[in-house]
Amino acid sequence: MVLYSRYNVCKTKGEETWVYNTLTSAFIKISTQVWSSLSESSDKELLDTLCRQGIIVDDNETEIEKYKYFCYTKMFDKTHWTLSVAPTMRCNFNCPYCFEGEHKIYQKMGQDVVDALVSFIKRQYELNKNIFIIWFGGEPLLAFDVILSICSALNKENVKFKSSMITNGSLMTNPVINDLPALNLTNVQITLNGTSETHDKRRYYKKGKPSFADIDNNINNLLNNTDIQVTIQVGIDKTNQDAYQKVFDYMKSKYFKFMDDKRLRIGHNEIRNRNDYEGSSACFTDKQLFENSIANVGNEKYKQLMPRLPGLCLPCMYRSDNNLAVDSLENIYKCLEHLGQPQYKIGNIVDGHVSFGKVSKAILRNSAFDDEACKSCNVLPICGGGCPVDREKFKQNDVKPYCSYYKKYLTEMLPYLYEQMKR
């Protein structure tokens, strides 16, 4: 008797069947006749191979336990510690799709919070943890003096750390670049929504002034005056579907050497509606994401756009014990989307208190492992049960809007992905 993995995704088309296992990432094409008659097969070598790949299993409960193990190991990893710091929630841009909305008004971090934050980070370092800081906002460079003060204090205390920054890039001027060594930066991520014509209609200063030229000049100076890796993240929706290609071609023509050396990388983010912001009608639907993926199979020129087999989904910061966020008002959170909204705080950086109850609730409550529909879903290992914040928000709904689009479309993608991998 052959027992199939519950995490097999299968597509049969005539005489051929494609099977992808979302837990082990095994991917095969097999004769439909052979696949449909495995229960009667006497081909020990084939059965042993499929067993090693996790496509056939001894029992299904062990599978869910394996995935739990992977997740819990990540959830409670004590060797690494990541802190996202928003030294201000203010922003100098007025992007219509920004999830922060009215939370942009909060002032930058005061000295009492800076001192408490330095002590907080130092305590984690003394527990032999590898410290990684993500500078976030708002626009973090509006409070670069605060960032510099924190990093200088950590360096003075001999606290070893690395950091990265997510910025709109408009304030990455030469005076700022000259002081970046204190931050131990490994990467700077800058958002563009296209080249100047498109970007300037979507990402502009408070009074409407365009920003692309300033950002482009700052990218040039950052690349030429530091060894920091720069990632350009291109936001794409239905109104600027060729934005990635245009940014890629522009950067390739201007910064070929840096792209060739992988100092400059161009990524993309397909914008979906999760917050019902103004203009959300421009977001992609799951069906459109699927169609875009199929259209880009074999797109060798723009390899980032080619669809890829999804890998194992491990817990995000909300579900991880070693990952926190701090806003400029001294509040501690478990999710970046909660920054600047004190009703979601789990602690306070100044008094050093973190609610054990709130942390344990965030990590463990409303888990996919307690949801029978999720546990039996064949895409659980690549979905992880969806966004935990959305799971909490929509837990009473019959329709689960946090389900991955892979649940509906991965089956149809398999033949295309297989041919792409062969090429």
Side-chain angles (χ1 to χ4, degrees):
M1 176 66 180
V2 169
L3 181 63
Y4 295 96
S5 166
R6 71 171 68 182
Y7 298 127
N8 289 337
V9 179
C10 306
K11 171 65 177 178
T12 294
K13 192 174 181 180
E15 297 179 354
E16 296 177 322
T17 294
W18 293 261
V19 183
Y20 178 63
N21 187 277
T22 58
L23 179 63
T24 66
S25 297
F27 192 20
I28 64 168
K29 182 169 74 171
I30 189 170
S31 158
T32 299
Q33 182 180 0
V34 172
W35 177 252
S36 60
S37 60
L38 277 181
S39 293
E40 292 79 40
S41 176
S42 59
D43 188 338
K44 186 176 183 304
E45 183 178 352
L46 172 62
L47 295 175
D48 285 347
T49 298
L50 294 178
C51 188
R52 286 197 302 273
Q53 293 174 324
I55 291 172
I56 59 176
V57 295
D58 293 327
D59 70 274
N60 293 127
E61 282 307 306
T62 300
E63 291 188 286
I64 192 70
E65 288 160 357
K66 287 179 179 178
Y67 183 49
K68 276 185 181 180
Y69 178 84
F70 292 140
C71 288
Y72 290 159
T73 300
K74 172 70 163 56
M75 283 178 180
F76 302 109
D77 176 17
K78 300 297 184 184
T79 61
H80 294 77
W81 190 72
T82 300
L83 184 68
S84 298
V85 180
T88 178
M89 292 303 296
R90 292 184 182 275
C91 186
N92 58 335
F93 278 15
N94 197 29
C95 307
Y97 53 80
C98 180
F99 73 83
E100 286 156 9
E102 69 274 13
H103 306 299
K104 295 177 183 178
I105 64 173
Y106 290 126
Q107 70 268 24
K108 69 180 182 180
M109 194 174 281
Q111 190 59 49
D112 57 335
V113 184
V114 169
D115 293 340
L117 185 58
V118 170
S119 297
F120 191 65
I121 296 171
K122 184 181 177 184
R123 288 198 296 275
Q124 299 302 318
Y125 179 70
E126 289 170 347
L127 295 172
N128 296 315
K129 295 181 181 179
N130 294 308
I131 307 295
F132 194 82
I133 302 170
I134 301 171
W135 304 108
F136 193 69
E139 169 47 49
L141 289 178
L142 282 172
F144 184 63
D145 56 330
V146 173
I147 295 174
L148 202 56
S149 175
I150 293 168
C151 292
S152 297
L154 291 173
N155 290 325
K156 187 176 180 180
E157 295 283 348
N158 294 313
V159 174
K160 293 181 173 58
F161 69 96
K162 294 185 182 299
S163 74
S164 67
M165 182 180 293
I166 300 172
T167 171
N168 62 36
S170 65
L171 301 175
M172 188 63 74
T173 58
N174 279 331
V176 169
I177 290 171
N178 291 338
D179 286 331
L180 289 182
L183 277 61
N184 302 323
L185 280 172
T186 60
N187 180 268
V188 171
Q189 178 181 304
I190 296 171
T191 303
L192 293 176
N193 278 174
T195 48
S196 57
E197 181 181 2
T198 303
H199 173 91
D200 287 337
K201 293 176 182 177
R202 303 157 66 91
R203 292 182 65 78
Y204 40 80
Y205 292 101
K206 289 284 190 183
K207 295 184 179 180
K209 178 188 170 186
S211 64
F212 184 87
D214 291 342
I215 298 168
D216 187 26
N217 182 63
N218 293 341
I219 290 171
N220 180 71
N221 291 334
L222 189 60
L223 289 169
N224 282 291
N225 294 295
T226 76
D227 59 0
I228 298 167
Q229 186 179 83
V230 178
T231 300
I232 307 298
Q233 195 72 1
V234 184
I236 306 170
D237 62 23
K238 289 187 287 188
T239 67
N240 69 332
Q241 294 195 53
D242 61 352
Y244 175 86
Q245 294 92 321
K246 288 186 174 181
V247 171
F248 184 95
D249 290 345
Y250 177 84
M251 294 294 169
K252 190 80 170 177
S253 66
K254 190 168 183 179
Y255 304 113
F256 173 83
K257 178 181 179 297
F258 295 110
M259 289 183 67
D260 199 44
D261 292 342
K262 295 184 169 43
R263 276 274 322 283
L264 176 63
R265 299 174 183 266
I266 318 297
H268 72 289
N269 176 40
E270 292 162 317
I271 300 172
R272 314 177 196 194
N273 178 24
R274 287 189 54 251
N275 297 291
D276 293 319
Y277 65 88
E278 184 179 348
S280 61
S281 60
C283 294
F284 289 114
T285 64
D286 285 354
K287 183 180 179 182
Q288 288 165 333
L289 291 174
F290 166 69
E291 291 169 347
N292 290 346
S293 293
I294 299 307
N296 281 296
V297 170
N299 190 342
E300 290 292 335
K301 182 176 181 182
Y302 305 109
K303 293 183 179 181
Q304 267 276 340
L305 296 179
M306 287 196 293
R308 288 168 174 77
L309 280 168
L312 206 63
C313 180
L314 295 176
C316 66
M317 68 177 296
Y318 192 82
R319 297 285 200 203
S320 299
D321 190 43
N322 58 359
N323 207 322
L324 297 172
V326 178
D327 70 10
S328 59
L329 295 183
E330 73 193 44
N331 298 311
I332 304 172
Y333 303 88
K334 285 299 297 164
C335 180
L336 292 179
E337 291 187 13
H338 289 161
L339 280 167
Q341 302 178 68
Q343 67 269 31
Y344 295 113
K345 69 181 181 180
I346 62 163
N348 181 289
I349 201 75
V350 172
D351 64 23
H353 175 71
V354 177
S355 168
F356 179 63
K358 290 181 178 179
V359 171
S360 57
K361 174 184 174 181
I363 293 174
L364 297 172
R365 187 174 293 186
N366 200 30
S367 166
F369 298 126
D370 299 324
D371 185 325
E372 290 304 318
C374 286
K375 285 171 64 176
S376 61
C377 178
N378 62 356
V379 299
L380 174 63
I382 58 174
C383 161
C387 170
V389 173
D390 285 349
R391 287 187 69 87
E392 183 68 25
K393 182 178 178 181
F394 297 109
K395 62 185 177 182
Q396 304 300 331
N397 289 29
D398 292 330
V399 178
K400 296 179 170 59
Y402 47 78
C403 282
S404 165
Y405 92 108
Y406 288 125
K407 181 174 183 176
K408 186 173 182 180
Y409 292 106
L410 182 57
T411 300
E412 297 303 316
M413 293 172 67
L414 291 183
Y416 300 98
L417 290 168
Y418 191 86
E419 291 307 309
Q420 177 170 281
M421 290 179 67
K422 279 180 61 177
R423 283 200 294 269

